[in-house]
Amino acid sequence: MSETEVMQQLNEIFRDLFELPELELTPGMSADDIDEWDSVNHVMLVVEIERQFKIKFHTAEVEEMKNVGDLVRLIVAKCEAK
Amino acid sequence: MLFNSYVFIALFLPLALAGFFASAKFGRRYAGAWLVAASLIFYSWWNPAFLPLLLASILMNYAMSELVARTGARPALQSALLAAAVGINLSALFYFKYYFEVVLFLANRFGLDAHADPVLLPLGISFFTFTQIGYLIDVKQGVAKDRGFLNYVLFVTFFPHLIAGPILHHREMMPQFAEKSTYRFSLANFTIGMTVFVLGLFKKTVLADPLGGAVTAGFAFPETLSFFDAWWVAIKYSLQLYFDFSGYSDMAIGLAFMFNVRFPLNFNSPFKSQNIIEYWQRWHMTLTRYLNLYLYNPMALAVVRWRSEHGYGTKRSDQKTAAGFLSMTALPTMLTMGLIGLWHGAGLQFLFFGLLHGFYLTFNHAMRTFRGNAKQAASGPAAAIKRVSNVAATYIAVVVGLVLFRSPSLDKALSMFEGMSGLRGFASSVSPTEIAWVLVLAVLIWGCPNVQQIMGKCAPALGKVEATVARIPLLWQANLRWACTVGILLTVSLMAMGGTSEFMYFQF
C-alpha cells in the first residue's frame, strides 16, 4: 500500500470518527490542529485503524501517532511487515 | 539544593557548567561522569541519607532492564522480570509515600491495632520511579534503542529534572546525551537558557512566594472564612501554584538548555484553557503524557479492543450509547484521574481531587460525544464572549479542585467549601492593595504571552508552542534592552530570595 492510498483511507476514517465530513488531512496536521482529536478519540482512532488495515500497534507506539505524517509512515511500515 | 538559593546560583551552577565543558575536552565519558557526580551532590545536599536509595534504584532498574532486554526469546520469563521490576519500584514508592498514612488511616477508621512511624519522603522519588518504570516497559516492548549505561544514569539523574520533573522520556533524552554537539559550549544556548532561568526565578521568588503566607494561614484555619475570604484564599493559592510550578518548569528548561539539552514543555498557559480536556493538555503536560502513555492508553485500548473483538461496536455511534460511553470513556478516565490524585499524596483529599477532575473530564467528553461538534463562529463579539466565559468557567472549576489539592485534610477542604458556598456570610476583609496585586498577576496570566512564546524561535523546549498572537510584542532578542531587562529581573529576584522557599512540587 502506498502512502497516498493510506492517506485516502485514513482521511475517510478521520471524517467518520470525528464527524467532520469536510476534513482534508495533510501530513503536517497533528492532534493540536483538530479539537476533537483528544486522548479518548485517539484510542478509538487507533483501534479503528487496526481493524481496517488489519494491523496491530504496540502500546508504546500509540502516543507517537498524534501526527498525521508519522501515522501514515507507521501504517505503511506495519502493512509491509505483515 | 534549591534552584532558588545563593549556593546553587553562585557556586554549584557555574562549577557544574565549567567542569562539564572543560572535561568534555578529554572525552564525552568524563563530561558525563562529571555531570552525574554534580547531580548526585545536588541531590545529596538536601539529605545525604537518600543518596543510597537513589543509587540502588538506578542500579536495580538498569540491571533489570538489561535482563528484560536479553530475555526477548522467552516471553513468559521476560514478563515476569518486568513485573518484578515494576513491583519493586512501586513497593518502594508505596513504603515511602503511602505506608504510614495507610496504617494511620486503618488504625483510625477501623480501630486496627497497627503502628507505623512516619517516614521522611525521599526527594523526587515519584519522579525517578516513574521515569524508570517507563524505561523498563519500553525496553520490554522493544522501543528503547539506546541502552548505554552512562546515558541511562545521566537521563535519570540530570539535576535540572531530578527532583520535580518535567517527567522525561528516555526516547527524547538519551539521544541528546549521545549527541556530540551537546558537549560543546554554546554561548547562544547559554544566553537563552539563562534568560529562561531568570524568568522562572522571577516567577518563583517575586510572584509566587509572597502569596504563600496568606494561603498557608487560610488553609490551616478555613473555619472562619466567609464567602469572599474563602474564594480569595483559593484564588490566591491557584496563582501561587501557577507561578511556583511554571516558574520551576521554566528554570528546569533553562538550566538544561545551558547544557545544550532540550526538555519537553511542561506548561503552556493552562489557565487560558477553554475546557478541562484542554487544561490537562497544558498543565503539568509531562505528567499527562506519562499517564496517557502507561496508564490510560493501555486501559482504554484493552476496553476498545475487547469490544471490537466481541462484536460490540467501537464507532462514534457506539460511543453515544450509555454502555459504550461508560466503558470506553468514563471508566478509563475516572480510573486514571483517581490515580493521578493519589500520585500527589496519600490523603483522601488527593483521591477526591483526582476523582473530581475525572468527573470534569468525563462531563467534558460527554458534551463532545452527545452534543456533537458545536460549530461556533470564529470571530465576532458572540464568539469572544463565549471564549471568555469558557475560560472563566474552566478556571473556576480548577480553583475548586485546587482547594482539595491544597488542604491538609478532607475536613479542612470541606470547611473551605462551606465558606466558598456562602454559608458563613459575605463579610470581606480583602484589602485594595491585595486586589491590585492579584489584578497584576491576572494580567500576566491572561493578558501576556508565556515564556515559550516570548522566546519565539529560540524556545529551548521540545514540543510545539501555539502562536496565538501573530506578532508577539515582547519577543526576546539578543540585544542590550533585553540584557538589561533580564539583569534587572535577576537582581530583583535575588533580593527577594530571602530564606529558603521550597518548590511546591517537591512534596510529590
Side-chain angles (χ1 to χ4, degrees):
Chain A
M1 225 178 193
S2 73
E3 289 202 2
T4 329
E5 288 167 317
V6 169
M7 191 73 172
Q8 271 172 1
Q9 198 170 340
L10 200 59
N11 207 349
E12 283 309 310
I13 296 178
F14 267 78
R15 287 179 180 179
D16 199 29
L17 193 71
F18 296 136
E19 292 177 343
L20 298 167
E22 277 122 56
L23 182 72
E24 287 294 339
L25 282 186
T26 61
M29 270 187 184
S30 74
D32 297 334
D33 303 313
I34 304 175
D35 283 348
E36 290 76 14
W37 192 353
D38 56 37
S39 320
V40 169
N41 288 326
H42 186 61
V43 172
M44 314 270 162
L45 177 69
V46 168
V47 175
E48 189 58 24
I49 293 171
E50 287 184 337
R51 204 174 63 81
Q52 290 205 17
F53 290 93
K54 302 197 169 44
I55 51 178
K56 193 134 190 175
F57 297 107
H58 281 304
T59 318
E61 288 166 335
V62 170
E63 206 60 18
E64 280 174 76
M65 297 163 50
K66 294 196 163 170
N67 161 320
V68 174
D70 294 344
L71 190 52
V72 170
R73 274 187 291 281
L74 194 62
I75 295 172
V76 171
K78 290 253 166 192
C79 287
E80 278 168 5
K82 241 189 334 198
Chain B
M1 209 180 302
L2 297 165
F3 294 166
N4 53 330
S5 65
Y6 295 117
V7 60
F8 178 82
I9 295 171
L11 198 65
F12 178 85
L13 183 60
L15 282 177
L17 278 167
F20 178 71
F21 291 114
S23 55
K25 300 246 184 292
F26 303 96
R28 270 184 275 163
R29 294 182 154 274
Y30 295 102
W34 172 270
L35 198 48
V36 168
S39 299
L40 295 178
I41 291 171
F42 172 83
Y43 185 77
S44 318
W45 201 265
W46 176 71
N47 188 344
F50 290 125
L51 184 60
L53 177 77
L54 175 66
L55 293 176
S57 169
I58 291 172
L59 291 176
M60 188 282 289
N61 279 300
Y62 187 74
M64 289 302 271
S65 73
E66 284 303 294
L67 284 176
V68 167
R70 276 152 213 211
T71 47
R74 300 173 63 189
L77 177 64
Q78 193 188 32
S79 300
L81 283 169
L82 176 69
V86 173
I88 295 171
N89 278 304
L90 291 180
S91 309
L93 187 62
F94 177 82
Y95 173 73
F96 285 107
K97 201 159 168 172
Y98 304 100
Y99 178 66
F100 172 70
E101 296 280 342
V102 169
V103 170
L104 199 70
F105 178 78
L106 293 176
N108 286 345
R109 296 277 160 133
F110 303 107
L112 202 74
D113 185 24
H115 173 77
D117 294 315
V119 199
L120 208 53
L121 184 71
L123 215 50
I125 185 168
S126 327
F127 292 92
F128 66 71
T129 303
F130 266 36
T131 41
Q132 295 190 100
I133 290 178
Y135 178 75
L136 281 165
I137 294 174
D138 284 4
V139 168
K140 159 81 165 46
Q141 298 215 341
V143 292
K145 301 275 184 283
D146 179 354
R147 305 207 320 267
F149 182 64
L150 185 58
N151 286 352
Y152 178 78
V153 180
L154 266 178
F155 151 66
V156 179
T157 60
F158 187 37
F159 73 87
H161 81 96
L162 180 56
I163 290 167
I167 301 172
L168 302 179
H169 197 270
H170 61 88
R171 199 161 31 215
E172 65 202 3
M173 271 314 111
M174 292 176 60
Q176 296 197 56
F177 286 119
E179 181 66 42
K180 261 189 198 155
S181 59
T182 302
Y183 298 86
R184 273 195 303 270
F185 179 74
S186 152
L187 185 62
N189 289 358
F190 176 79
T191 313
I192 293 164
M194 186 53 103
T195 304
V196 175
F197 177 81
V198 169
L199 292 174
L201 183 69
F202 183 79
K203 281 186 186 174
K204 165 69 179 158
T205 59
V206 179
L207 303 181
D209 285 348
L211 295 166
V215 169
T216 306
F219 277 96
F221 306 104
E223 295 81 8
T224 55
L225 297 177
S226 71
F227 177 82
F228 288 113
D229 291 347
W231 273 101
W232 194 241
V233 169
I235 286 170
K236 272 188 160 174
Y237 173 61
S238 74
L239 303 178
Q240 185 198 5
L241 186 68
Y242 175 90
F243 284 112
D244 188 281
F245 195 29
S246 74
Y248 168 84
S249 298
D250 289 338
M251 291 163 88
I253 288 171
L255 288 168
F257 205 55
M258 294 182 207
F259 292 88
N260 303 318
V261 171
R262 275 175 209 268
F263 274 178
L265 203 56
N266 211 20
F267 256 83
N268 187 13
S269 299
F271 288 169
K272 287 179 187 163
S273 306
Q274 295 200 45
N275 55 59
I276 293 285
I277 297 175
E278 192 188 342
Y279 172 77
W280 281 101
Q281 289 163 351
R282 302 170 70 141
W283 170 277
H284 206 178
M285 295 156 74
T286 55
L287 177 68
T288 307
R289 178 183 70 167
Y290 184 90
L291 292 166
N292 265 339
L293 202 51
Y294 298 109
L295 203 61
Y296 177 82
N297 283 350
M299 275 196 290
L301 269 174
V303 172
V304 179
R305 277 181 183 146
W306 186 88
R307 285 181 63 97
S308 179
E309 281 156 18
H310 289 76
Y312 297 97
T314 55
K315 295 219 158 205
R316 183 98 169 158
S317 51
D318 306 300
Q319 212 188 336
K320 288 183 184 175
T321 63
F325 184 78
L326 285 177
S327 65
M328 291 193 283
T329 306
L331 181 74
T333 304
M334 290 303 284
L335 273 172
T336 305
M337 295 312 291
L339 285 169
I340 282 201
L342 285 178
W343 177 80
H344 290 97
L348 277 180
Q349 71 274 30
F350 289 112
L351 178 65
F352 282 103
F353 162 77
L355 292 177
L356 180 67
H357 269 277
F359 171 75
Y360 287 162
L361 284 170
T362 305
F363 182 73
N364 204 169
H365 281 297
M367 301 267 282
R368 278 191 184 177
T369 307
F370 294 107
R371 280 207 339 200
N373 306 328
K375 286 279 156 281
Q376 36 181 291
S379 58
I385 291 172
K386 180 133 179 69
R387 263 203 310 278
V388 171
S389 59
N390 283 347
V391 170
T394 306
Y395 173 68
I396 290 169
V398 167
V399 169
V400 170
L402 285 178
V403 169
L404 287 160
F405 191 77
R406 174 62 176 82
S407 291
S409 69
L410 192 57
D411 294 340
K412 294 278 183 190
L414 292 175
S415 172
M416 196 64 138
F417 286 139
E418 195 185 328
M420 287 164 78
S421 61
L423 289 173
R424 278 196 293 257
F426 294 82
S428 167
S429 60
V430 182
S431 74
T433 41
E434 276 183 281
I435 296 176
W437 178 237
V438 165
L439 282 177
V440 170
L441 297 180
V443 168
L444 287 176
I445 290 178
W446 283 285
C448 294
N450 64 36
V451 168
Q452 299 303 316
Q453 290 170 320
I454 289 173
M455 297 311 289
K457 284 200 169 55
C458 307
L462 300 166
K464 201 166 110 181
V465 183
E466 54 158 0
T468 39
V469 249
R471 243 190 101 260
I472 291 161
L474 299 166
L475 198 65
W476 181 82
Q477 279 162 335
N479 59 21
L480 187 64
R481 207 184 69 192
W482 263 103
C484 295
T485 310
V486 171
I488 292 167
L489 291 180
L490 177 61
T491 314
V492 175
S493 309
L494 289 175
M495 288 187 333
M497 216 163 65
T500 52
S501 161
E502 284 194 1
F503 291 95
M504 306 179 89
Y505 264 67
F506 278 18
Q507 57 173 308
F508 307 127

